[in-house]
Amino acid sequence: MITFEAYVPSIYINGRWNSASSRKKTPVRNPATWDILTHVSYGDDIDTKNAIEAASSAQKQWASLSPRKRSSILYKANQLMKEEEDRLAAILTMEQGKPLREAKGEIKSAASFLLWYAEEANRLYGEWIPSSIESKRLSVIPQPVGVVGAITPWNFPASMITRKVAPALAAGCAVVLKPASETPLTAIEIVKILEKAGVPDGVVNLVTGNSAKIGNALLHHEDVRLITFTGSTEVGKHLMRESADQVKKLSLELGGHAPIIVFADADLDQAAEMTLASKFRNSGQTCICANRVYVEADIWDEFKQVLVEKVEAMRLGDGLAEEVDMGPLINEGATEKVHEQVKDALAKGAEIACGGNLWEGTGKGHYYLPTVLSGVNNDMLVMNEETFGPILPLQSFTSEEDAINAANDSEYGLAAYFFTNNLDRSVRVAEKLDYGIIGINDVFPAVAEAPFGGIKQSGFGKEGGHHGIHEYVELKYISMGIK
């Protein structure tokens, strides 16, 4: 069992671990038990300003290093993270709540971004443009955008950090990282790994604490040239408004309301298993997890029965227990939101196929039973709002066109999935769904080597793949006259 000191300094600026300038502290709780794990520093705008200044001072030297040198540091960080996998996963589970096997999967994913961008650092190519004028030579070179403010969420406290920090470092940018207040311990461990791997002082800085003050400092400091954010659409819109005066570059991965379409020609057992895996991974607290399921009428009864049987077999509890399939929600507010959506659905005619209430199995923590709703309609909150909890509403359809229209009827456009064994349908439906990420017989599309990001009110910009590093550079066009 991992134990922590009563207080862990969590402000890392210019290569030194410090307390907040205000000396304030804040508790970190285990959502499975609501016990206090430790206290960390509660930083503010003063700490953030100091971190930005440290990053600004380090920026030029870091950018001047060869890509190969930056690459070697990221390679080493990847190796160190893999060596620390078990311990990091346990810390992640203790502060976030997800089952240990999911936490281990996330640490592997986090390490994969360090590896991928260690490789991409050496492949950030420019361009030579054939000139239409004989006396000119034209080229384009990528250069680091500058200091990056990275704001990350609590639901994936490891992979969301490396998915942002790794490409930033690979491109030659210094970083000020603001992790979620609920999950600072994982962020501390990742920064320690980067420190051990040889990242120079000031290149990576960490500030935990007051989200509003830290965020505003990042928004309004002119040395911060890019803010990369994963979180709610509401906050993303705030960042867009507040960054406008300085015309900051933004990369936003915002809310999602992912549909799953199950066609009659699908493998029903596979579709049910993967629907369950998508919805109830991390207790439904995932931006790309299934939020609504459309089932072809011909297979409605059979699919519902298979799905409910699988959901009822799930085991809830503390994520550190080996046999647990689903852990707690992050806090009381999360359980309240889930239950409000269930009550709203029932009041408007839905029926509970399974679940539908709080789980009191441990006597502590914030648990909600994995829930399947049938008889849902489009007037219900659960069909219109991102749930971020373990509710799965089912609705039937009779034609492919109706299913596509229903799936697209959302302000969000992050991820969508469908199950079919028809090749023609796979192409048709994938092209017609208005989402940035499409899964065909697959609900786990996020990998380091592919671009991840949404459209519509799910944000803009890509993370992952060779596309991801381009968020962190500006293209400089050079026109040279010759004799």
Side-chain angles (χ1 to χ4, degrees):
M1 176 66 70
I2 293 175
T3 58
F4 303 93
E5 298 291 333
Y7 168 65
V8 178
S10 57
I11 307 293
Y12 183 74
I13 298 175
N14 203 27
R16 295 174 180 83
W17 291 98
N18 301 297
S19 298
S21 58
S22 66
R23 318 309 292 179
K24 290 182 179 179
K25 304 173 185 176
T26 187
V28 182
R29 294 182 181 271
N30 183 339
T33 63
W34 212 229
D35 294 336
I36 294 176
L37 297 171
T38 184
H39 291 76
V40 297
S41 310
Y42 193 72
D44 57 20
D45 50 334
I46 296 174
D47 301 294
T48 309
K49 181 181 178 182
N50 292 336
I52 294 169
E53 290 174 354
S56 297
S57 297
Q59 171 64 48
K60 189 172 183 179
Q61 183 177 2
W62 178 248
S64 69
L65 290 181
S66 71
R68 184 67 67 185
K69 178 60 176 177
R70 297 196 296 268
S71 173
S72 67
I73 292 173
L74 290 170
Y75 274 122
K76 186 173 182 180
N78 163 260
Q79 187 60 43
L80 291 171
M81 182 170 284
K82 289 192 292 186
E83 292 171 0
E84 293 283 315
E85 178 184 307
D86 290 341
R87 189 178 68 87
L88 292 172
I91 291 172
L92 194 159
T93 291
M94 291 172 72
E95 68 172 347
Q96 199 277 335
K98 66 181 60 176
L100 189 59
R101 65 175 175 274
E102 288 188 22
K104 289 182 179 179
E106 182 180 342
I107 297 302
K108 290 180 185 293
S109 174
S112 75
F113 285 102
L114 294 170
L115 176 61
W116 179 260
Y117 286 106
E119 296 164 339
E120 286 300 296
N122 298 304
R123 296 173 177 81
L124 189 54
Y125 301 126
E127 185 178 5
W128 187 265
I129 302 172
S131 176
S132 60
I133 301 173
E134 294 178 357
S135 60
K136 287 189 177 185
R137 297 296 182 265
L138 313 178
S139 61
V140 178
I141 60 172
Q143 292 191 312
V145 67
V147 175
V148 171
I151 305 173
T152 58
W154 50 261
N155 58 336
F156 287 90
S159 60
M160 293 301 98
I161 289 176
T162 58
R163 199 160 79 176
K164 297 178 186 299
V165 172
L169 295 179
C173 298
V175 179
V176 177
L177 170 63
K178 163 59 176 83
S181 299
E182 296 86 350
T183 54
L185 302 179
T186 301
I188 292 169
E189 295 301 318
I190 292 175
V191 171
K192 287 181 178 178
I193 284 173
L194 293 170
E195 181 182 31
K196 189 175 179 180
V199 172
D201 293 350
V203 173
V204 173
N205 305 273
L206 172 69
V207 184
T208 61
N210 189 308
S211 297
K213 289 186 176 181
I214 296 169
N216 282 335
L218 292 172
L219 278 168
H220 297 126
H221 200 296
E222 63 181 10
D223 286 352
V224 177
R225 295 312 311 148
L226 164 67
I227 292 179
T228 173
F229 169 77
T230 296
S232 72
T233 296
E234 180 183 4
V235 174
K237 290 178 179 179
H238 171 76
L239 295 176
M240 292 177 70
R241 286 189 293 267
E242 292 298 308
S243 65
D245 284 346
Q246 293 186 16
V247 197
K248 286 190 193 297
K249 191 175 182 183
L250 296 174
S251 178
L252 304 177
E253 195 254 284
L254 307 177
H257 195 47
I260 285 183
I261 304 172
V262 183
F263 290 101
D265 58 34
D267 180 325
L268 295 194
D269 190 71
Q270 178 201 39
E273 189 70 38
M274 297 193 77
T275 297
L276 180 151
S278 172
K279 173 72 267 185
F280 301 113
R281 181 172 69 130
N282 199 19
S283 303
Q285 300 171 123
T286 306
C287 57
I288 62 169
C289 71
N291 268 255
R292 50 210 163 100
V293 179
Y294 301 98
V295 183
E296 195 160 0
D298 291 348
I299 58 168
W300 169 265
D301 290 332
E302 184 181 357
F303 180 80
K304 176 183 170 184
Q305 180 181 349
V306 172
L307 183 66
V308 168
E309 287 176 357
K310 291 179 182 293
V311 172
E312 289 180 333
M314 293 180 65
R315 296 159 296 184
L316 275 67
D318 189 326
L320 291 177
E322 288 291 335
E323 71 278 5
V324 165
D325 298 309
M326 194 178 90
L329 295 176
I330 192 65
N331 54 36
E332 185 177 3
T335 57
E336 289 176 350
K337 179 182 178 182
V338 169
H339 199 48
E340 283 301 315
Q341 286 196 359
V342 170
K343 289 191 296 183
D344 172 80
L346 294 178
K348 295 174 180 175
E351 298 177 352
I352 294 176
C354 63
N357 216 328
L358 298 170
W359 183 67
E360 304 293 348
T362 64
K364 293 183 178 180
H366 303 291
Y367 294 89
Y368 202 90
L369 290 168
T371 298
V372 178
L373 299 175
S374 62
V376 299
N377 61 60
N378 293 334
D379 294 329
M380 298 172 183
L381 292 176
V382 72
M383 294 297 287
N384 294 282
E385 295 181 357
E386 185 176 26
T387 300
F388 241 60
I391 311 174
L392 192 59
L394 305 180
Q395 196 173 68
S396 65
F397 68 90
T398 56
S399 74
E400 181 180 300
E401 182 180 4
D402 287 345
I404 293 170
N405 290 338
N408 285 339
D409 186 19
S410 173
E411 64 186 18
Y412 297 108
L414 185 54
Y417 314 100
F418 63 95
F419 290 90
T420 181
N421 283 322
N422 183 302
L423 180 60
D424 290 344
R425 171 173 282 153
S426 296
V427 174
R428 283 197 311 270
V429 176
E431 291 179 349
K432 292 179 180 179
L433 287 171
D434 293 333
Y435 291 83
I437 303 165
I438 304 295
I440 306 172
N441 301 326
D442 175 30
V443 295
F444 300 115
V447 291
E449 59 270 24
F452 185 102
I455 59 175
K456 298 190 285 188
Q457 293 196 36
S458 289
F460 48 80
K462 299 299 180 184
E463 296 182 323
H466 66 84
H467 317 76
I469 198 169
H470 290 282
E471 299 293 327
Y472 300 90
V473 299
E474 300 282 13
L475 295 180
K476 180 177 286 185
Y477 161 53
I478 301 172
S479 176
M480 181 173 64
I482 63 171
K483 294 182 180 179

